[in-house]
Amino acid sequence: MDDVDLRQLRCLVAIVDEGTFTDAALALGVSQAAVSRTLASFERALGVRLLRRTSREVTPTPTGLRVLAHARRVLAEVDDLVRDATSGHAHLRMGYAWSALGRHTLAFQRRWSRERPETDLHLVRVNSATAGLAEGACDLAVVRRPVDERRFESVIVGLERRLCAMAADDPLARRRSVRLADLAGRVLLVDRRTGTATPDLWPPEVRPATEETHDVDDWLNVIATGRCVGMTPESTADQYPRPGVVYRPVRDGEPIAVRLAWWRDDPHPATQAVMELLTSLYREG
């Protein structure tokens, strides 16, 4: 199969779409003889007939129809690959795990669109430790935990309060704020991959029990039942208000650092501009 290449796929598609070898040659900018040779080499490589030729028409064989469908998909994927790799600063994918930038999300999107119209911004939610950065799903990531400094660079762009999420009928919901000690006897619902809440926030002798989740909607649904409580940055409360769930500040909980992260060896051209805008938004409050 090393003899199969994109030129052969494009040749097959052109013949079928244009209807004749002559018209396919014109569409591809080559000679009719080159089209015939390319198709013949493709059929030899696969060991099958792809087209039936008569004096009046060219039609795919049943096998040719199946190969044609694959060829169209492969060529579309290659086009996407080239577009993505060569877009440079024209596109910017920014990943996040549970919540993007909280109350600053909309302001960031609007200001970016106004001040940097040449760079198309897309926010991408990926529930992983690097918010999609390690997976190749984004160019920059908003994270709230330290990243692997051997692979990634990061900078703190702001701080967020630490909140407790609880059922609306929880006795603690009547308070304006809570302390860590108030939650010691509760069950804490955590996401160990991306979350900022761990039992280490409490002294060893009073650490709460924990249960694990991997999705913000599941997290909220369980908390609404009153079975568990959660600890989260204030951005979660801004982006995920939910009937039956209330958020209260944790008075003695240290603020959570919001980091912008990127690949150390492949920073996006817009990294500095994003860093400056986010820092400005968090500084403005």
Side-chain angles (χ1 to χ4, degrees):
M1 290 303 100
D2 290 343
D3 294 331
V4 174
D5 58 37
L6 296 179
R7 180 173 50 89
Q8 295 167 332
L9 301 184
R10 291 195 177 95
C11 180
L12 175 64
V13 171
I15 294 170
V16 174
D17 287 351
E18 300 300 327
T20 69
F21 279 58
T22 301
D23 290 337
L26 290 172
L28 294 171
V30 299
S31 68
Q32 183 176 335
V35 170
S36 297
R37 287 195 300 270
T38 301
L39 178 68
S41 69
F42 195 12
E43 290 181 326
R44 282 196 304 273
L46 297 178
V48 296
R49 285 287 301 277
L50 298 175
L51 298 177
R52 292 194 186 96
R53 299 174 64 179
T54 68
S55 59
R56 302 179 58 183
E57 63 179 357
V58 178
T59 58
T61 64
T63 300
L65 286 173
R66 296 196 299 273
V67 173
L68 178 66
H70 285 294
R72 292 190 191 281
R73 286 197 294 271
V74 169
L75 292 173
E77 287 288 339
V78 170
D79 287 344
D80 288 343
L81 180 153
V82 172
R83 192 180 306 112
D84 182 67
T86 60
S87 61
H89 64 276
H91 298 281
L92 172 61
R93 301 166 303 164
M94 198 161 86
Y96 66 96
W98 279 33
S99 55
L101 302 163
R103 66 180 182 277
H104 303 302
T105 303
L106 182 57
F108 172 70
Q109 291 173 294
R110 288 182 172 176
R111 283 183 56 176
W112 184 267
S113 179
R114 185 172 64 249
E115 298 173 10
R116 300 275 176 167
E118 74 281 2
T119 303
D120 195 17
L121 172 69
H122 297 276
L123 297 185
V124 183
R125 181 181 164 199
V126 181
N127 195 39
S128 74
T130 62
L133 200 56
E135 295 82 359
C138 60
D139 308 297
L140 298 171
V142 176
V143 295
R144 290 170 174 82
R145 296 180 3 165
V147 294
D148 182 354
E149 294 182 356
R150 295 169 297 179
R151 295 194 294 166
F152 307 110
E153 285 197 53
S154 68
V155 63
I156 296 175
V157 295
L159 298 174
E160 294 178 342
R161 293 183 302 165
R162 197 180 294 269
L163 305 183
C164 175
M166 64 191 77
D169 59 355
D170 190 297
L172 292 177
R174 294 193 293 266
R175 302 185 186 181
R176 297 178 61 181
S177 63
V178 298
R179 293 184 178 275
L180 289 170
D182 298 326
L183 309 173
R186 302 298 188 91
V187 178
L188 185 69
L189 193 59
V190 300
D191 182 346
R192 298 187 190 279
R193 293 182 301 179
T194 68
T196 56
T198 72
D200 294 338
L201 293 170
W202 287 263
E205 65 275 9
V206 292
R207 285 176 181 166
T210 61
E211 290 187 14
E212 193 162 355
T213 186
H214 300 297
D215 180 82
V216 64
D217 286 310
D218 292 341
W219 183 79
L220 289 164
N221 288 337
V222 172
I223 289 172
T225 68
R227 184 164 58 84
C228 298
V229 297
M231 292 267 284
T232 191
E234 62 183 298
S235 54
T236 305
D238 291 316
Q239 289 195 236
Y240 296 100
R242 179 67 61 91
V245 175
V246 298
Y247 298 89
R248 295 291 181 262
V250 181
R251 278 184 286 173
D252 52 350
E254 291 188 3
I256 296 167
V258 182
R259 291 177 167 85
L260 182 69
W262 61 91
W263 280 96
R264 182 176 291 277
D265 61 354
D266 189 23
H268 190 279
T271 298
Q272 184 65 34
V274 173
M275 185 191 317
E276 292 173 359
L277 179 52
L278 292 183
T279 302
S280 173
L281 288 169
Y282 273 96
R283 187 182 298 122
E284 293 168 6

